[in-house]
Amino acid sequence: MKKNIQILILFLVAFSLKAQEKIAPIIKNGEAQIVDAFKDSKNWIRHDLWVETTFDSDGDGKLDRVHVDVTRPKATENGLKLPVVYESSPYYAGTAGNSEGLFWGVKHEIGEKAKPRTHVEVKRRGKRPIISNSQISTWVPRGYIVVHSSSPGTGLSDGSPTVGGDNESLAPKAVIDWLNGRAKGYTERNGNEEVKAYWTTGKVGMTGTSYNGTIPLAAATTGVDGLEAIIPVAPNTSYYHYYRSNGLVRSPGGYLGEDIDVLYDFIHSGKEENRARNNKVVRDTEMANGMDRETGDYNDFWAGRDYLNDMKPMKAALLMSHGFNDWNVMPEHSYRIYKKASEMGLPTQIYYHQNGHGGPPPIKMMNRWFTRYLFGIENGVENDPKAWIVRESDKRSEPTSYKNYPNPDASNVTFYLAGNAPEAGSLSTNKTNSKTKETLVDNYSFSAEALAQAAYTNHRLLYVSPILKEDIHISGISTIKIKAASSKPGVNLSVYLVSLPWNSGRRTKITDNIITRGWADLQNYKSLTSSKPLKPGKFYEMTFDLQPDDQIIKKGQQIGLMIFSSDNNYTLLPKPGTELTVDLAGTKITIPIVGGKSAFDKATE
């Protein structure tokens, strides 16, 4: 009898071990597949902990601990080790919302000090052990562990928000260090019982959108071992580029009057008893002294919040994602990092769609990226085309591949201006000898959209190309060199490339009408770091880029260059009446066109 029982026990153990052996990730065609044993949430383990960092950003004399949650398959309790998909955010525990008075007032002269704004308090939300449910349903069934953390000074994480400060890079680094056994984790915020990450291989990939997409880049710039790949979606890669544009105080689209201290208030959901100290040290001192809404100049404060300056240690493979019509976090944010990472020799790809803020790459692209760099499967993703762009009428899941972005077949075509104000003048590749100067009168009452459609107005200057007889493909960055004078010491300068005639019908697409745009402060004509008040009537030359784009302009359309002053969705709104005069002979724009000048000439002959 005993012998039979022993045989039965051995059989059950062997059967159990065999069953466990079958519970493992499945890779097919270079992609991690959904595994039945991983997809049922009943077979997941969810828990939270605190990871000790290397900094004390709330000044309480103790190293900050960040709140972390983990979702993993039960099979990881039986020796299975899996890679991690990690997302970190300041938003998980709630935000201030768009409370009245939170934003800065914008109706004042350029260079004028604005009236104080209203500060708000965030009411924290959420319950342990769950910080967020994002990423879980996508990645856990495919054999990954999903980890979240609240960034410093938010949720149940210690510390203070700094909006791009060093602690926001070092916090995710600490979590990755913990996942690799190099940092300590604890079961409680103030406890001493340690938690080990025995269930992971230590291979980590990070992703997220907007601020959550910035943090993967922030972590990668530390060069932390174990962070193998990142997929930032619409990341803010420089807070100067987010809140300023070529010296101009320029708000992100949809948030007129927002600035870095506003975002600080918006996310500050951490310990109530630490908020007064954090506010005094970070918001009311460091930010108040550094952000400089009066001149808009680039300085050490902004340089310290520009991740392009920190990329030297970065070694993670980069798959970047963005929308060309994202006027919140504009497409320059992704391109500047992609370009630098490519120059550094890192594995890179970029995915651009034609819509607005957010929008990750297709799951197939993400899956191949993470399978290659987290599971170590040689699926050849590094040999895939470098750039994937969703064409104007295609689905986001069906991008067109290109050798790179910008399109290697594009070259800059220079266009010159001939005047006819207050009606539209001409934009052509033929240089004119005209000594014409044309003047517009600033008036923020008129939107950019209204100005582009107006046949006759003195509130903008407009120059249009011949009608296209064939489609042309713009790919890259347009650059304007402008010679202009202002009737006041400070003036907004807004420049749009538009596709005309304007389409305002019910079936208007986001790719209709606006090609790209840019803004600048003429006071920064020499330097981004040092502006000087303009002498009324004196002409100054300034060169600056518009936002990156990749767009096919259809035959029957005309390309229009529109120059105006205050942009009522983005800039400060001084009292109407400032005159901006443009010297047409000293002004030109280069537009990157696939096929170059010959392609444009062919399309307009």
Side-chain angles (χ1 to χ4, degrees), residues 240-241 244-250 295-296 332 518-525 527-528 542-547:
Y240 184 84
H241 288 77
R244 307 288 183 266
S245 182
N246 300 298
L248 195 71
V249 175
R250 192 264 297 137
T295 72
E332 66 180 336
W519 303 262
D521 184 348
L522 200 57
Q523 294 178 103
N524 292 87
Y525 69 99
S527 167
L528 279 184
M542 186 175 186
T543 300
F544 61 93
D545 293 337
L546 309 189
Q547 289 296 318

Side-chain angles (χ1 to χ4, degrees), residues 542-571:
M542 186 175 186
T543 300
F544 61 93
D545 293 337
L546 309 189
Q547 289 296 318
D549 193 34
D550 193 291
Q551 190 169 335
I552 294 173
I553 313 301
K554 292 292 186 181
K555 66 179 182 180
Q557 295 293 108
Q558 294 172 281
I559 297 172
L561 170 63
M562 182 170 73
I563 302 169
F564 62 114
S565 185
S566 298
D567 188 336
N568 62 15
N569 285 320
Y570 297 94
T571 68

Side-chain angles (χ1 to χ4, degrees), residues 253-402:
Y255 301 95
L256 190 61
E258 185 184 329
D259 212 321
I260 193 165
D261 61 332
V262 176
L263 184 54
Y264 168 94
D265 278 348
F266 187 75
I267 64 174
H268 194 188
S269 60
K271 277 185 183 177
E272 287 80 2
E273 58 268 34
N274 286 354
R275 293 185 188 182
R277 177 267 173 201
N278 292 344
N279 293 343
K280 181 180 179 181
V281 172
V282 178
R283 183 191 68 196
D284 301 336
T285 303
E286 182 184 3
M287 290 183 174
N289 293 339
M291 57 193 256
D292 187 8
R293 281 184 69 83
E294 283 72 50
T295 72
D297 291 351
Y298 189 76
N299 56 28
D300 289 344
F301 171 82
W302 294 113
R305 287 165 166 79
D306 186 340
Y307 293 105
L308 188 67
N309 298 332
D310 298 333
M311 286 183 65
K312 187 175 181 180
M314 181 172 161
K315 53 196 178 190
L318 171 68
L319 169 56
M320 186 66 85
S321 178
H322 216 141
F324 281 123
N325 287 286
D326 185 350
W327 301 111
N328 175 3
V329 181
M330 299 187 192
E332 66 180 336
H333 284 269
S334 54
Y335 174 64
R336 61 204 296 271
I337 300 299
Y338 168 76
K339 181 174 182 286
K340 178 64 174 178
S342 298
E343 291 169 354
M344 291 169 62
L346 297 176
T348 55
Q349 279 186 13
I350 196 161
Y351 165 85
Y352 275 120
H353 58 79
Q354 300 289 345
N355 294 93
H357 190 50
I363 184 62
K364 183 179 181 69
M365 286 187 70
M366 297 180 74
N367 197 353
R368 280 175 57 77
W369 204 251
F370 280 158
T371 300
R372 170 66 182 87
Y373 295 107
L374 303 190
F375 279 115
I377 301 299
E378 299 280 351
N379 58 12
V381 71
E382 63 270 35
N383 301 318
D384 289 351
K386 300 272 284 182
W388 298 80
I389 296 173
V390 179
R391 295 271 46 106
E392 290 73 4
S393 298
D394 291 346
K395 298 177 182 177
R396 282 193 192 180
S397 59
E398 299 174 355
T400 299
S401 64
Y402 295 90

Side-chain angles (χ1 to χ4, degrees), residues 4-189:
N4 290 339
I5 292 173
Q6 288 174 341
I7 292 171
L8 178 61
I9 290 171
L10 287 171
F11 174 77
L12 291 173
V13 168
F15 181 81
S16 176
L17 289 172
K18 190 173 182 181
Q20 288 176 28
E21 287 174 2
K22 289 182 179 179
I23 301 176
I26 298 171
I27 311 297
K28 186 178 179 181
N29 297 325
E31 298 177 47
Q33 303 297 303
I34 292 174
V35 179
D36 287 341
F38 298 157
K39 70 180 181 181
D40 189 344
S41 61
K42 294 177 182 177
N43 293 323
W44 298 345
I45 297 172
R46 305 194 72 172
H47 55 101
D48 67 341
L49 64 137
W50 279 261
V51 169
E52 188 171 79
T53 69
T54 56
F55 55 84
D56 172 20
S57 62
D58 53 22
D60 64 358
K62 298 183 293 184
L63 293 176
D64 293 345
R65 292 183 179 184
V66 292
H67 190 210
V68 175
D69 79 5
V70 177
T71 303
R72 55 189 174 92
K74 280 184 180 178
T76 56
E77 282 297 285
N78 299 314
L80 178 65
K81 293 187 177 185
L82 298 173
V84 170
V85 172
Y86 171 30
E87 182 179 38
S88 183
S89 176
Y91 297 141
Y92 291 142
T95 59
N98 293 331
S99 304
E100 187 174 350
L102 175 64
F103 292 178
W104 286 95
V106 296
K107 290 186 176 180
H108 60 81
E109 296 300 312
I110 293 171
E112 191 174 277
K113 192 173 181 65
K115 294 178 181 178
R117 63 179 186 83
T118 301
H119 298 304
V120 296
E121 290 285 322
V122 181
K123 185 176 180 180
R124 186 169 55 254
R125 66 169 188 243
K127 292 182 180 180
R128 296 180 59 188
I130 297 170
I131 294 177
S132 174
N133 289 310
S134 68
Q135 310 297 340
I136 292 172
S137 62
T138 299
W139 299 112
V140 174
R142 289 179 166 86
Y144 295 89
I145 294 161
V146 170
V147 168
H148 303 99
S149 70
S150 291
S151 51
T154 72
L156 298 180
S157 288
D158 297 337
S160 174
T162 55
V163 192
D166 287 345
N167 66 336
E168 294 188 2
S169 300
L170 295 173
K173 177 186 183 296
V175 174
I176 296 165
D177 281 335
W178 172 71
L179 289 167
N180 282 276
R182 298 187 298 265
K184 291 183 177 181
Y186 297 94
T187 56
E188 297 294 336
R189 191 172 195 170

